[in-house]
Amino acid sequence: MSEELKHLVGDLVEKNLGLVEDFPEPGVLFRDITPLIANGPAFKELVSTIAAHYRGKIDAVAGLESRGFILGAPLAAELGVGMLTIRKAGKLPGHVIGVDYALEYGTARMEIHPESVFPGSRVLVIDDVLATGGTASASVELLRRCGAEVTAVAVLLELAAFNGRSQLEGVRVESALLV
Protein backbone atom coordinates (compact mmCIF):
# COMPACT_ATOMS: atom_id res chain seq x y z
CA MET A 1 0.00 0.00 0.00
CA SER A 2 1.18 3.49 -0.64
CA GLU A 3 2.02 5.42 2.51
CA GLU A 4 -1.06 7.61 2.03
CA LEU A 5 -3.36 4.62 1.65
CA LYS A 6 -1.66 2.82 4.53
CA HIS A 7 -2.29 5.89 6.67
CA LEU A 8 -5.97 6.18 5.64
CA VAL A 9 -6.76 2.49 6.06
CA GLY A 10 -4.57 2.12 9.16
CA ASP A 11 -6.33 5.02 10.90
CA LEU A 12 -9.73 3.59 10.00
CA VAL A 13 -8.79 0.14 11.32
CA GLU A 14 -7.21 1.52 14.49
CA LYS A 15 -10.22 3.73 15.31
CA ASN A 16 -12.64 0.81 14.91
CA LEU A 17 -10.60 -2.01 16.38
CA GLY A 18 -11.74 -3.87 19.48
CA LEU A 19 -9.16 -5.04 21.99
CA VAL A 20 -9.98 -8.12 24.05
CA GLU A 21 -7.58 -9.07 26.83
CA ASP A 22 -6.83 -12.71 27.64
CA PHE A 23 -8.43 -14.12 24.48
CA PRO A 24 -8.17 -16.85 23.29
CA GLU A 25 -5.93 -17.56 26.29
CA PRO A 26 -4.46 -15.66 29.24
CA GLY A 27 -1.83 -13.10 28.31
CA VAL A 28 -3.02 -12.62 24.73
CA LEU A 29 -4.39 -9.26 23.53
CA PHE A 30 -6.84 -10.14 20.74
CA ARG A 31 -7.42 -7.50 18.09
CA ASP A 32 -11.02 -7.77 16.95
CA ILE A 33 -12.19 -6.37 13.61
CA THR A 34 -15.90 -7.02 14.28
CA PRO A 35 -16.48 -3.42 15.49
CA LEU A 36 -15.06 -2.22 12.15
CA ILE A 37 -17.29 -4.43 10.03
CA ALA A 38 -20.31 -3.62 12.23
CA ASN A 39 -19.81 0.11 11.59
CA GLY A 40 -21.49 0.47 8.18
CA PRO A 41 -19.98 3.82 7.15
CA ALA A 42 -16.48 2.82 8.31
CA PHE A 43 -16.68 -0.57 6.58
CA LYS A 44 -17.89 1.04 3.36
CA GLU A 45 -15.03 3.55 3.52
CA LEU A 46 -12.55 0.72 4.12
CA VAL A 47 -13.76 -1.24 1.10
CA SER A 48 -13.91 1.85 -1.14
CA THR A 49 -10.43 2.99 -0.15
CA ILE A 50 -8.86 -0.42 -0.73
CA ALA A 51 -10.76 -0.81 -4.03
CA ALA A 52 -9.43 2.53 -5.29
CA HIS A 53 -5.88 1.29 -4.65
CA TYR A 54 -6.32 -1.98 -6.58
CA ARG A 55 -8.71 -0.87 -9.34
CA GLY A 56 -7.40 -2.06 -12.72
CA LYS A 57 -4.53 -3.98 -11.10
CA ILE A 58 -6.25 -7.28 -10.27
CA ASP A 59 -8.61 -9.75 -11.90
CA ALA A 60 -9.78 -11.54 -8.74
CA VAL A 61 -9.74 -11.33 -4.95
CA ALA A 62 -8.89 -14.45 -2.93
CA GLY A 63 -10.35 -14.33 0.57
CA LEU A 64 -8.88 -16.59 3.23
CA GLU A 65 -11.21 -18.37 5.62
CA SER A 66 -12.93 -16.82 7.38
CA ARG A 67 -12.52 -13.09 7.88
CA GLY A 68 -10.87 -12.80 4.48
CA PHE A 69 -14.28 -13.69 3.05
CA ILE A 70 -15.85 -10.75 4.89
CA LEU A 71 -13.25 -8.38 3.42
CA GLY A 72 -12.86 -10.01 0.03
CA ALA A 73 -16.46 -10.33 -1.13
CA PRO A 74 -17.42 -6.65 -0.93
CA LEU A 75 -14.02 -5.66 -2.34
CA ALA A 76 -14.50 -7.99 -5.33
CA ALA A 77 -18.03 -6.66 -5.86
CA GLU A 78 -16.82 -3.04 -5.68
CA LEU A 79 -14.14 -3.83 -8.27
CA GLY A 80 -16.37 -5.98 -10.48
CA VAL A 81 -13.95 -8.92 -10.29
CA GLY A 82 -14.27 -12.52 -9.17
CA MET A 83 -14.07 -13.70 -5.57
CA LEU A 84 -12.08 -16.86 -4.86
CA THR A 85 -12.52 -18.71 -1.58
CA ILE A 86 -9.57 -20.46 -0.01
CA ARG A 87 -10.79 -22.66 2.81
CA LYS A 88 -9.56 -24.96 5.52
CA ALA A 89 -9.48 -28.67 4.70
CA GLY A 90 -12.77 -30.46 4.19
CA LYS A 91 -14.96 -27.35 3.76
CA LEU A 92 -15.24 -27.26 -0.04
CA PRO A 93 -17.32 -29.83 -1.94
CA GLY A 94 -16.13 -31.57 -5.06
CA HIS A 95 -12.70 -31.45 -6.64
CA VAL A 96 -10.13 -29.45 -4.68
CA ILE A 97 -6.40 -29.10 -4.45
CA GLY A 98 -4.67 -28.38 -1.17
CA VAL A 99 -1.45 -27.32 0.49
CA ASP A 100 -0.39 -28.35 3.98
CA TYR A 101 1.36 -25.88 6.25
CA ALA A 102 3.02 -26.12 9.64
CA LEU A 103 1.37 -25.14 12.89
CA GLU A 104 3.10 -24.89 16.26
CA TYR A 105 1.95 -28.45 17.02
CA GLY A 106 1.10 -30.26 13.80
CA THR A 107 -0.14 -29.22 10.38
CA ALA A 108 -3.20 -27.73 8.73
CA ARG A 109 -4.36 -27.55 5.13
CA MET A 110 -5.82 -24.88 2.85
CA GLU A 111 -7.84 -25.86 -0.23
CA ILE A 112 -9.33 -24.28 -3.35
CA HIS A 113 -11.43 -25.31 -6.34
CA PRO A 114 -8.75 -25.07 -9.06
CA GLU A 115 -11.32 -24.54 -11.81
CA SER A 116 -12.37 -21.26 -10.16
CA VAL A 117 -8.97 -19.73 -10.96
CA PHE A 118 -8.28 -18.48 -14.48
CA PRO A 119 -4.66 -19.15 -15.47
CA GLY A 120 -2.74 -15.91 -15.83
CA SER A 121 -5.17 -13.93 -13.69
CA ARG A 122 -3.81 -11.31 -11.30
CA VAL A 123 -5.03 -12.18 -7.80
CA LEU A 124 -5.02 -10.20 -4.58
CA VAL A 125 -4.97 -12.38 -1.44
CA ILE A 126 -6.79 -10.70 1.45
CA ASP A 127 -7.21 -11.53 5.12
CA ASP A 128 -7.69 -9.72 8.40
CA VAL A 129 -4.42 -10.66 10.14
CA LEU A 130 -0.96 -11.81 9.16
CA ALA A 131 0.66 -13.65 12.08
CA THR A 132 2.92 -16.63 11.30
CA GLY A 133 2.24 -16.47 7.55
CA GLY A 134 1.25 -20.13 7.24
CA THR A 135 -2.22 -19.68 5.76
CA ALA A 136 -1.10 -16.85 3.49
CA SER A 137 1.91 -18.81 2.23
CA ALA A 138 -0.18 -21.93 1.57
CA SER A 139 -2.75 -19.81 -0.26
CA VAL A 140 -0.13 -18.17 -2.46
CA GLU A 141 1.21 -21.62 -3.36
CA LEU A 142 -2.31 -22.86 -4.19
CA LEU A 143 -3.01 -19.91 -6.47
CA ARG A 144 0.31 -20.32 -8.23
CA ARG A 145 -0.39 -24.04 -8.79
CA CYS A 146 -3.61 -22.94 -10.49
CA GLY A 147 -1.64 -20.65 -12.81
CA ALA A 148 -2.51 -17.32 -11.16
CA GLU A 149 -0.15 -14.42 -10.58
CA VAL A 150 -0.37 -13.28 -6.95
CA THR A 151 -0.03 -9.50 -7.06
CA ALA A 152 -0.02 -8.99 -3.27
CA VAL A 153 -1.13 -10.27 0.10
CA ALA A 154 -3.12 -7.51 1.82
CA VAL A 155 -4.05 -7.60 5.51
CA LEU A 156 -5.58 -5.16 7.94
CA LEU A 157 -3.26 -6.12 10.81
CA GLU A 158 0.24 -7.52 10.80
CA LEU A 159 1.49 -8.97 14.07
CA ALA A 160 5.20 -8.13 13.81
CA ALA A 161 6.28 -10.45 16.64
CA PHE A 162 5.33 -13.52 14.57
CA ASN A 163 7.38 -12.46 11.50
CA GLY A 164 4.84 -13.82 9.00
CA ARG A 165 6.45 -11.86 6.18
CA SER A 166 9.37 -14.28 6.27
CA GLN A 167 7.04 -17.00 4.94
CA LEU A 168 6.13 -14.83 1.94
CA GLU A 169 9.48 -14.13 0.28
CA GLY A 170 9.03 -12.69 -3.18
CA VAL A 171 5.42 -11.67 -2.48
CA ARG A 172 4.39 -8.07 -1.90
CA VAL A 173 2.81 -7.86 1.57
CA GLU A 174 0.67 -4.81 2.29
CA SER A 175 -0.56 -4.28 5.83
CA ALA A 176 -2.65 -1.36 7.03
CA LEU A 177 -1.55 -1.56 10.65
CA LEU A 178 1.64 -3.08 12.10
CA VAL A 179 1.22 -4.11 15.73
Side-chain angles (χ1 to χ4, degrees):
M1 288 183 196
S2 68
E3 284 306 311
E4 180 183 357
L5 177 65
K6 190 173 182 175
H7 175 71
L8 291 171
V9 175
D11 282 352
L12 193 59
V13 171
E14 194 167 31
K15 287 176 185 171
N16 290 279
L17 192 63
L19 300 175
V20 182
E21 292 185 21
D22 298 322
F23 183 81
E25 58 187 56
V28 174
L29 177 62
F30 183 79
R31 289 158 177 92
D32 184 13
I33 69 160
T34 56
L36 171 62
I37 60 179
N39 178 338
F43 189 47
K44 181 177 181 175
E45 183 180 346
L46 175 78
V47 171
S48 297
T49 304
I50 294 172
H53 178 65
Y54 290 106
R55 192 171 308 283
K57 299 175 185 174
I58 61 171
D59 304 308
V61 175
L64 307 187
E65 187 169 343
S66 66
R67 289 184 182 100
F69 298 168
I70 295 168
L71 300 168
L75 179 60
E78 176 79 16
L79 291 170
V81 301
M83 168 69 189
L84 308 173
T85 55
I86 300 179
R87 302 209 60 189
K88 295 174 184 167
K91 302 281 181 113
L92 290 172
H95 173 67
V96 298
I97 62 170
V99 169
D100 295 324
Y101 64 96
L103 296 171
E104 188 175 353
Y105 301 103
T107 61
R109 185 174 180 84
M110 298 299 282
E111 297 178 336
I112 192 169
H113 285 128
E115 62 278 355
S116 67
V117 181
F118 294 105
S121 60
R122 302 167 298 167
V123 179
L124 171 68
V125 174
I126 194 161
D127 205 4
D128 62 333
V129 176
L130 176 65
T132 65
T135 58
S137 177
S139 299
V140 167
E141 186 177 336
L142 277 173
L143 290 163
R144 287 178 173 163
R145 283 186 187 177
C146 294
E149 173 194 336
V150 177
T151 59
V153 171
V155 296
L156 298 183
L157 302 165
E158 182 177 351
L159 305 180
F162 291 97
N163 196 25
R165 270 178 196 262
S166 68
Q167 300 297 314
L168 295 162
E169 280 190 39
V171 178
R172 192 168 83 218
V173 177
E174 299 185 322
S175 58
L177 194 60
L178 183 65
V179 294

